[in-house]
Amino acid sequence: MENIGLDCNKRKSRPAVICDFDDTTMLENVAEIILKEFGGDEWEVYRKQHSLKMIGLKEYQELAFKSVHADVTQMKAIVKQRANLRPYFKTLFDYCENHDIPLAIATLGLDFYVEAVLEREGMETLQHYSAKTQFIGNQMQFSYPYASDRCWQTGNCKCAVIHKYRSLGYSILFAGDGNSDICPADKADTVFAHRFLEQNYQSRGLSYIPLTDFAQVLCKLHKSQSY
């Protein structure tokens, strides 16, 4: 789907903000916090295989978390203890709540560790599109309710989330950092990027706003609300 630009001669579309989770909404990769604490040595073998493109992200994630020796309560507890929101995200959440602006997380990561952060921060109402997990004892089962047959990557499709809000008439502000964020970023109106996504946009000569914290997003939203 082509980007829909904002035409100053027409009524502006209302914004919606979509954010990746690990290394974007969060300062750290939250999955790796859990894996380093409870995953033993096996998960690093799978991570290396993924980095060498021997396995995809979905397969890596499932194999790595099946190596974890902890129950969901223990994993959520370590997330609440160690994971850190990127500065001003909570302020962004409050601003969007007060101004009726959709804010959502779109991630290939797992629901329980996203929910652990939202519970700690009092942001349980924040919509998140993530891989679903079910626990039977210490065994973890996975499902992907936001997958798409047209997506290049197995697991959840962030572009499907972008399309959902676009179809409702919103302009899209997207924040991300990784390889899986390139496709949804290309479908957004405004891109906030760092790490790999920033390098990709620089190499292609595309416009973006560097993401260090969410003050940049708040500034952009404030300007859009001033018209």
Side-chain angles (χ1 to χ4, degrees), residues 43 48 89 112 122 148 167 172:
W43 76 274
K48 184 175 182 179
F89 186 84
F112 75 89
S148 171
S167 68
I172 309 297

Side-chain angles (χ1 to χ4, degrees), residues 6-19:
L6 297 180
D7 186 341
C8 292
N9 295 319
K10 299 178 182 179
R11 184 178 179 180
K12 289 184 176 292
S13 300
R14 295 188 61 203
V17 184
I18 314 298
C19 302

Side-chain angles (χ1 to χ4, degrees), residues 119-144:
E119 290 166 8
R120 185 192 67 190
E121 300 293 336
M123 299 190 299
E124 293 94 333
T125 58
L126 178 59
Q127 178 69 55
H128 62 93
Y129 302 87
S130 52
K132 300 297 182 183
T133 53
Q134 183 178 5
F135 294 85
I136 301 175
N138 286 352
Q139 296 298 310
M140 196 182 311
Q141 297 180 345
F142 307 85
S143 61
Y144 301 89

Side-chain angles (χ1 to χ4, degrees), residues 174-225:
F174 180 78
D177 77 290
N179 185 55
S180 66
D181 295 317
I182 295 171
C183 187
D186 286 352
K187 293 174 172 59
D189 298 282
T190 304
V191 175
F192 299 86
H194 75 124
R195 296 200 336 148
F196 182 86
L197 181 60
E198 181 173 16
Q199 294 170 10
N200 178 274
Y201 263 55
Q202 286 178 343
S203 69
R204 292 192 288 156
L206 299 177
S207 176
Y208 73 95
I209 299 171
L211 180 70
T212 54
D213 58 47
F214 281 93
Q216 296 102 320
V217 182
L218 282 160
C219 182
K220 185 72 175 181
L221 286 176
H222 180 73
K223 288 180 179 178
S224 73
Q225 297 291 304

